């Protein structure tokens, strides 16, 4: 699968941070504070390694800076008024319930962020991310793929399985959810992005592979990297950032395509 020249792809891991495949060019808009904190850590560690210093020194300096940053900005962000509500939508007979959060301030249309849940389904974690993003000025929608949440890990895995086995079904539910975000008040339908965790990371990567309309950038956190059996598009237009832990036992470094020394920036997960 080829990548448009303007598209930048990087995989960030704890041991390959100093050997990023290609630097990320300025993204059209910020997604969430956590993405930038992560990249700042990487940059700081790189600089210290180049100077022959321990990465721990860089991390220590960075933590001090972050503490000062949040002390200065925390009150302001907390004071930004937001509106939040549940949004119900349907896929046939399946009733889905997402969580929408957005700033109350009127003004120009704002970028929209879709939040893709992990195998546990939508819960307080994703809703909290939506609130955080709304306080930063975005329209955020935490989607619901299942229509319910299982009482046990086994039940949630069973709810996830139809989507991992049928990626067309997954993409269909994603598109329905993206449509809800597009209908949200004050959203710019041409400036959309997505963040996803684990199973949700796989979902947002599929969004990029499918070139869903309006999606400019996706960020996967420890996501499943396997592509669907068939992909209809020949190029990915969105910018893609993959944040993957080097010690993740479920997806080892040799299974992360772009960390391989022979990786070409003209190939993406293929």
């Amino acid at each position: 699968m080829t990548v448009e020249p303007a598209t930048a792809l990087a995989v960030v891991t704890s041991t390959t941070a100093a050997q990023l495949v290609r630097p990320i060019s300025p993204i059209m808009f910020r997604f969430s504070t956590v993405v930038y904190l992560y990249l700042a850590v990487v940059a700081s560690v790189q600089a210290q390694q180049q100077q022959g210093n321990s990465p721990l020194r860089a991390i220590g300096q960075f933590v001090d800076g972050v503490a000062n940053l949040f002390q200065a900005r925390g009150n302001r962000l907390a004071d930004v008024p937001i509106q939040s509500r549940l949004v119900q939508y349907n896929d046939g007979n399946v009733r889905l319930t997402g969580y929408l959060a957005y700033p109350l301030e009127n003004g120009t249309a704002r970028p929209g962020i879709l939040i893709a849940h992990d195998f546990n389904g939508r819960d307080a974690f994703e809703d909290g991310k939506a609130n955080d993003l709304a306080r930063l000025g975005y329209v955020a929608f935490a989607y619901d793929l299942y229509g319910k949440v299982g009482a046990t890990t086994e039940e949630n895995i069973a709810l996830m399985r139809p989507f991992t086995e049928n990626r067309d079904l997954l993409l269909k539910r994603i598109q329905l959810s993206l449509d809800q975000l597009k209908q949200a008040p004050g959203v710019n339908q041409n400036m959309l992005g997505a963040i996803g965790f684990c199973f949700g990371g796989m979902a947002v990567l599929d969004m990029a592979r499918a070139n869903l309309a309006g999606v400019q950038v996706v960020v996967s956190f420890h996501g499943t990297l396997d592509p669907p059996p068939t992909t209809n598009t020949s190029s990915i237009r969105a910018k893609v950032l993959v944040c993957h832990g080097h010690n993740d036992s479920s997806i080892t470094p040799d299974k992360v395509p772009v960390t391989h020394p022979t990786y070409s920036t003209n190939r993406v997960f293929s």
Side-chain angles (χ1 to χ4, degrees), residues 69-80 135:
L69 172 67
F70 278 102
Q71 184 175 1
R73 298 188 62 199
N75 291 337
R76 181 177 67 82
L77 292 177
D79 289 340
V80 173
R135 292 189 180 97

Side-chain angles (χ1 to χ4, degrees), residues 185-228:
V187 71
N188 183 338
Q189 297 187 7
N190 296 314
M191 290 187 68
L192 305 177
I195 62 175
F197 306 86
C198 199
F199 167 53
M202 181 182 78
V204 302
L205 292 175
D206 276 9
M207 291 176 66
R209 294 180 180 109
N211 286 327
L212 298 188
V215 176
Q216 303 293 331
V217 58
V218 303
V219 181
S220 167
F221 295 92
H222 56 87
T224 303
L225 304 179
D226 295 337

Side-chain angles (χ1 to χ4, degrees), residues 82-127:
I82 66 172
Q83 178 69 47
S84 63
R85 57 184 170 88
L86 297 177
V87 176
Q88 292 190 327
Y89 54 112
N90 298 309
D91 182 7
N93 295 326
V94 180
R95 173 63 61 90
L96 308 169
T97 304
Y99 181 88
L100 177 69
Y102 53 92
L104 283 175
E105 300 172 354
N106 294 323
T108 58
R110 300 173 181 273
I113 310 292
L114 193 68
I115 302 168
H117 60 70
D118 64 10
F119 82 97
N120 287 308
R122 199 209 97 228
D123 58 21
F125 175 81
E126 287 79 19
D127 295 356

Side-chain angles (χ1 to χ4, degrees), residues 64 66 94 117 152 156 173 184 187 190 219 222 234 237 243 259:
D64 290 340
V66 170
V94 180
H117 60 70
T152 65
N156 285 325
R173 289 277 171 92
V187 71
N190 296 314
V219 181
H222 56 87
S234 59
R237 295 192 296 266
C243 298
T259 63

Side-chain angles (χ1 to χ4, degrees), residues 7-230:
T7 299
L9 172 71
V11 168
V12 180
T13 75
S14 60
T15 61
T16 62
Q19 301 173 342
L20 293 180
V21 174
R22 181 177 173 187
I24 290 292
S25 58
I27 299 177
M28 187 174 295
F29 53 91
R30 295 182 308 166
F31 274 107
S32 68
T33 303
V34 68
V35 174
Y36 282 84
L37 296 183
Y38 196 103
L39 293 180
V41 169
V42 171
S44 183
V45 170
Q46 282 182 287
Q48 293 296 332
Q49 286 178 330
Q50 290 171 357
Q51 296 173 16
N53 297 325
S54 169
L56 293 177
R57 178 180 175 184
I59 294 172
Q61 293 174 346
F62 178 76
V63 169
D64 290 340
V66 170
N68 293 332
L69 172 67
F70 278 102
Q71 184 175 1
R73 298 188 62 199
N75 291 337
R76 181 177 67 82
L77 292 177
D79 289 340
V80 173
I82 66 172
Q83 178 69 47
S84 63
R85 57 184 170 88
L86 297 177
V87 176
Q88 292 190 327
Y89 54 112
N90 298 309
D91 182 7
N93 295 326
V94 180
R95 173 63 61 90
L96 308 169
T97 304
Y99 181 88
L100 177 69
Y102 53 92
L104 283 175
E105 300 172 354
N106 294 323
T108 58
R110 300 173 181 273
I113 310 292
L114 193 68
I115 302 168
H117 60 70
D118 64 10
F119 82 97
N120 287 308
R122 199 209 97 228
D123 58 21
F125 175 81
E126 287 79 19
D127 295 356
K129 296 303 179 197
N131 289 337
D132 291 343
L133 288 166
R135 292 189 180 97
L136 290 171
Y138 302 98
V139 179
F141 184 65
Y143 73 24
D144 171 22
L145 290 188
Y146 300 163
K148 61 180 179 180
V149 175
T152 65
T153 296
E154 290 73 21
E155 288 183 17
N156 285 325
I157 291 176
L159 288 170
M160 177 184 67
R161 187 171 295 115
F163 300 98
T164 58
E165 293 179 349
N166 185 345
R167 302 287 275 274
D168 289 336
L169 175 61
L170 172 62
L171 196 61
K172 177 185 177 184
R173 289 277 171 92
I174 292 172
Q175 182 64 69
L176 287 171
S177 303
L178 190 65
D179 291 342
Q180 302 306 309
L181 175 60
K182 289 181 176 181
Q183 296 168 19
V187 71
N188 183 338
Q189 297 187 7
N190 296 314
M191 290 187 68
L192 305 177
I195 62 175
F197 306 86
C198 199
F199 167 53
M202 181 182 78
V204 302
L205 292 175
D206 276 9
M207 291 176 66
R209 294 180 180 109
N211 286 327
L212 298 188
V215 176
Q216 303 293 331
V217 58
V218 303
V219 181
S220 167
F221 295 92
H222 56 87
T224 303
L225 304 179
D226 295 337
T230 58

Side-chain angles (χ1 to χ4, degrees), residues 237-256:
R237 295 192 296 266
K239 293 181 172 59
V240 176
L241 173 62
V242 176
C243 298
H244 190 77
H246 184 271
N247 293 330
D248 188 336
S249 60
S250 62
I251 302 175
T252 53
D254 60 297
K255 295 181 181 178
V256 181

